[in-house]
Amino acid sequence: MGAQTSPALPVPTRRQRLREQTQNEIKAAARAQLVSNGPGGVQLRAVARDVGLTAPALYRYFPSLEELVEALTVDLFDELCDVMEGAAAPAADPFARMLELSRAFRRWAMQHPHEFGLLFASPPTALGQQPTNACQQASDRFGNLFASAFIAIWDAAPFPVPADDEVEPAMTAGLMPYRTWLVANVAPDMPLGAVVRFLEGWVRIFGCVAMDAFGHLSWAMPDGEPMFEQVMSSLAEMVGRPDAYVPPKASV
Amino acid sequence: MGAQTSPALPVPTRRQRLREQTQNEIKAAARAQLVSNGPGGVQLRAVARDVGLTAPALYRYFPSLEELVEALTVDLFDELCDVMEGAAAPAADPFARMLELSRAFRRWAMQHPHEFGLLFASPPTALGQQPTNACQQASDRFGNLFASAFIAIWDAAPFPVPADDEVEPAMTAGLMPYRTWLVANVAPDMPLGAVVRFLEGWVRIFGCVAMDAFGHLSWAMPDGEPMFEQVMSSLAEMVGRPDAYVPPKASV
DNA sequence: TCACGCTCGTGAATGCCGTTTACAGTTATG
DNA sequence: CATAACTGTAAACGGCATTCACGAGCGTGA
């Protein structure tokens, strides 16, 4: 009845706190399994064992194994986004921010290949079923990180891009919905050609990171970082700022 | 006892033929499961049911589910390579061949996303264990398709590439083993810079195809083909033959 | 022709899995 | 303090991969 109990939301009851804590323990155990067994190797009974419960008890916290993995996915997207945001100062030069965002992305992917696999290689596994709202939201946050970084680069210093009528008609058509959304919501003055450049860059960054994380580069080189850095350097040229690329600080 | 029975190998006994036929039926059933359930959704018992056998019977043909999937993987690599070779005339202009190889690759990936997932997205699933010999061999054939196509382009008309001392030292170091192998075996006169360009191109092609197949492009565009075609066009410029890119024949 | 061995298939059994159900103990609340 | 909500358990179900012991059929050499 004290005065400070009036806002209902910020005062979770004791049980709620314990419940949330247990949920986190469960997700942590699930992640440990993900790390050692890969996506698909997360087992409900094993998670329960690790956390000191019987299997049916987990159903008090997650309605199914699948939803547990989904919750873990959301957490991992958030972790990845947090790491990326923590690595790139928003106030920095826009391209420097993009550079640091991308490097943090690559670093996280290399350090957590199985988590990366869960986030980015599952679609073929789960093809045909649309993702959960929460999942979609989490991956949107990730996408927006890159998009807003690109928009900042463009707003700070537009660079030459193909004119609207130089873009392939097929691409123009396919890109229209996204482009109108962009213009209406976040980047009023971005031409179609810039959107194309954004996607090109995103494909190169993601492709480089994903191939490395999935081991599709190791036949030619043991470490994909130099290739990644070169991609970033060539992207600096693409956005008309060849000087903006700076090599990474030497790692320890 | 006839004269034609002398070579032991080319005359498989009747049993051997039946056995092989059953093996193929099993792999076909496994593939059907792969298509409908995705990698990881291939179940031994379900395969057995589909082929009209009990589960233990499959162990007469494959020592485990895992090895069945591996055999299927090898088959799929071969099918992909056959399709690609069938789509690209070896005698054609070297870049045209690369173009057709890449398009066939993309086409196959789009038409068989689950098979593509099994071939190219499993490493995170099976991270830490080196592939079977047969698997390695099959994926080597795939890699060599692209490599030899690139070598043909280079041999036909070398193009400007970064000089050896312009390549990042880190990349030079990592690339050395592969480069010396290339020079020793298939491309005696290929400079380091050309190897770098090859990998760049490969990363862009694969990245574009993989992202599309995994649905990581659909948030921006429903169909990744125009983006893929643009990548191919820009690769034509990269190899100094901007004229060599020709748009695809209109699809039906 | 017959008997032997090899191949291929089966049913039963083991131990794991995800999930459901019924039940008991604990905790918060009127 | 009684009542309801919450959190855990044991038992059970069906499905899974895998192993084993067994039998039926084929191919071959005496």
Side-chain angles (χ1 to χ4, degrees):
Chain A
M1 290 281 219
Q4 68 265 38
T5 62
S6 47
L9 285 188
V11 185
T13 153
R14 197 179 86 94
R15 277 230 270 241
Q16 283 173 327
R17 268 185 296 113
L18 286 184
R19 180 178 177 78
E20 198 166 339
Q21 181 175 331
T22 308
Q23 265 179 338
N24 288 336
E25 269 182 61
I26 294 173
K27 285 190 286 190
R31 178 170 183 174
Q33 289 234 339
L34 170 66
V35 168
S36 51
N37 305 336
V42 183
Q43 313 208 45
L44 191 112
R45 290 177 111 102
V47 169
R49 274 193 294 273
D50 286 2
V51 82
L53 286 176
T54 58
L58 291 205
Y59 285 82
R60 302 289 179 194
Y61 298 91
F62 298 93
S64 73
L65 171 61
E66 190 183 344
E67 300 218 20
L68 164 58
V69 173
E70 257 171 25
L72 179 58
T73 301
V74 171
D75 275 18
L76 289 174
F77 263 120
D78 271 338
E79 173 184 311
L80 171 56
C81 290
D82 289 345
V83 165
M84 286 170 62
E85 280 177 347
D93 167 75
F95 187 83
R97 177 167 158 80
M98 175 68 88
L99 193 54
E100 291 312 318
L101 280 177
S102 305
R103 280 175 180 154
F105 175 50
R106 196 192 108 89
R107 228 178 296 128
W108 192 86
M110 295 301 124
Q111 284 165 359
H112 310 286
H114 280 141
E115 288 92 329
F116 180 82
L118 179 63
L119 297 191
F120 295 102
S122 41
T125 302
L127 216 146
Q129 63 207 23
Q130 80 287 15
T132 305
N133 267 358
C135 255
Q136 187 59 49
Q137 213 173 318
S139 86
D140 280 355
R141 181 184 164 202
F142 172 78
N144 285 338
L145 264 181
F146 277 101
S148 61
F150 181 83
I151 292 170
I153 292 175
W154 176 260
D155 285 347
F159 46 87
V161 298
D164 281 18
D165 56 2
E166 285 172 322
V167 179
E168 274 265 359
M171 179 140 33
T172 306
L175 228 41
M176 247 358 228
Y178 179 60
R179 197 260 177 134
T180 49
W181 179 88
L182 265 184
V183 168
N185 292 79
V186 284
D189 53 354
M190 180 164 310
L192 185 63
V195 179
V196 172
R197 288 284 186 261
F198 169 54
L199 287 174
E200 273 182 60
W202 166 235
V203 166
R204 292 185 67 176
I205 292 173
F206 183 88
C208 199
V209 169
M211 287 183 69
D212 203 2
F214 293 170
H216 289 309
L217 241 39
S218 58
W219 54 272
M221 44 186 171
D223 175 14
E225 193 192 352
M227 165 86 27
F228 171 81
E229 288 295 330
Q230 182 183 315
V231 166
M232 293 312 298
S233 154
S234 94
L235 292 186
E237 288 180 32
M238 184 180 85
V239 301
R241 302 210 34 211
D243 58 298
Y245 172 81
V246 293
K249 298 187 190 78
S251 54
V252 186
Chain B
M1 288 286 218
Q4 67 267 39
T5 63
S6 47
L9 285 189
V11 186
T13 153
R14 198 178 85 93
R15 278 231 268 242
Q16 282 172 329
R17 269 185 294 112
L18 286 185
R19 179 178 178 77
E20 198 165 340
Q21 181 175 332
T22 308
Q23 266 178 338
N24 288 336
E25 269 183 60
I26 294 173
K27 286 190 285 191
R31 178 169 184 176
Q33 289 236 337
L34 169 67
V35 168
S36 50
N37 304 336
V42 183
Q43 310 209 48
L44 192 112
R45 291 174 105 100
V47 169
R49 273 193 294 272
D50 285 3
V51 82
L53 287 176
T54 58
L58 292 204
Y59 286 84
R60 301 286 179 196
Y61 299 90
F62 299 93
S64 72
L65 171 61
E66 189 184 344
E67 301 218 22
L68 164 57
V69 173
E70 257 170 25
L72 178 58
T73 301
V74 172
D75 276 17
L76 290 174
F77 263 120
D78 271 337
E79 172 184 312
L80 171 56
C81 290
D82 288 346
V83 165
M84 287 171 61
E85 281 177 347
D93 167 75
F95 187 84
R97 177 168 158 80
M98 175 68 87
L99 193 54
E100 290 312 318
L101 281 177
S102 305
R103 281 174 179 155
F105 175 49
R106 197 193 107 89
R107 226 177 298 128
W108 192 86
M110 296 302 125
Q111 284 165 358
H112 310 285
H114 281 140
E115 288 92 327
F116 181 82
L118 178 64
L119 296 191
F120 295 102
S122 41
T125 303
L127 216 146
Q129 62 208 22
Q130 79 287 14
T132 306
N133 267 358
C135 255
Q136 186 60 48
Q137 213 173 318
S139 86
D140 280 355
R141 181 185 165 202
F142 172 78
N144 285 339
L145 264 182
F146 277 101
S148 62
F150 182 83
I151 292 170
I153 292 175
W154 175 260
D155 284 348
F159 46 88
V161 297
D164 281 19
D165 56 1
E166 284 172 321
V167 179
E168 274 266 357
M171 179 141 31
T172 307
L175 228 42
M176 247 357 228
Y178 179 60
R179 196 261 178 131
T180 49
W181 179 88
L182 265 185
V183 169
N185 292 78
V186 281
D189 54 354
M190 181 165 309
L192 184 63
V195 179
V196 172
R197 287 285 187 260
F198 169 54
L199 287 174
E200 273 182 60
W202 167 234
V203 166
R204 294 185 66 177
I205 292 174
F206 183 88
C208 201
V209 170
M211 287 182 69
D212 204 1
F214 293 171
H216 288 309
L217 241 39
S218 57
W219 54 273
M221 43 187 173
D223 175 13
E225 194 191 352
M227 164 89 25
F228 171 81
E229 288 296 328
Q230 183 183 315
V231 165
M232 293 312 297
S233 154
S234 94
L235 292 185
E237 289 179 32
M238 185 181 87
V239 301
R241 303 212 31 215
D243 58 297
Y245 171 81
V246 291
K249 298 187 189 78
S251 54
V252 186

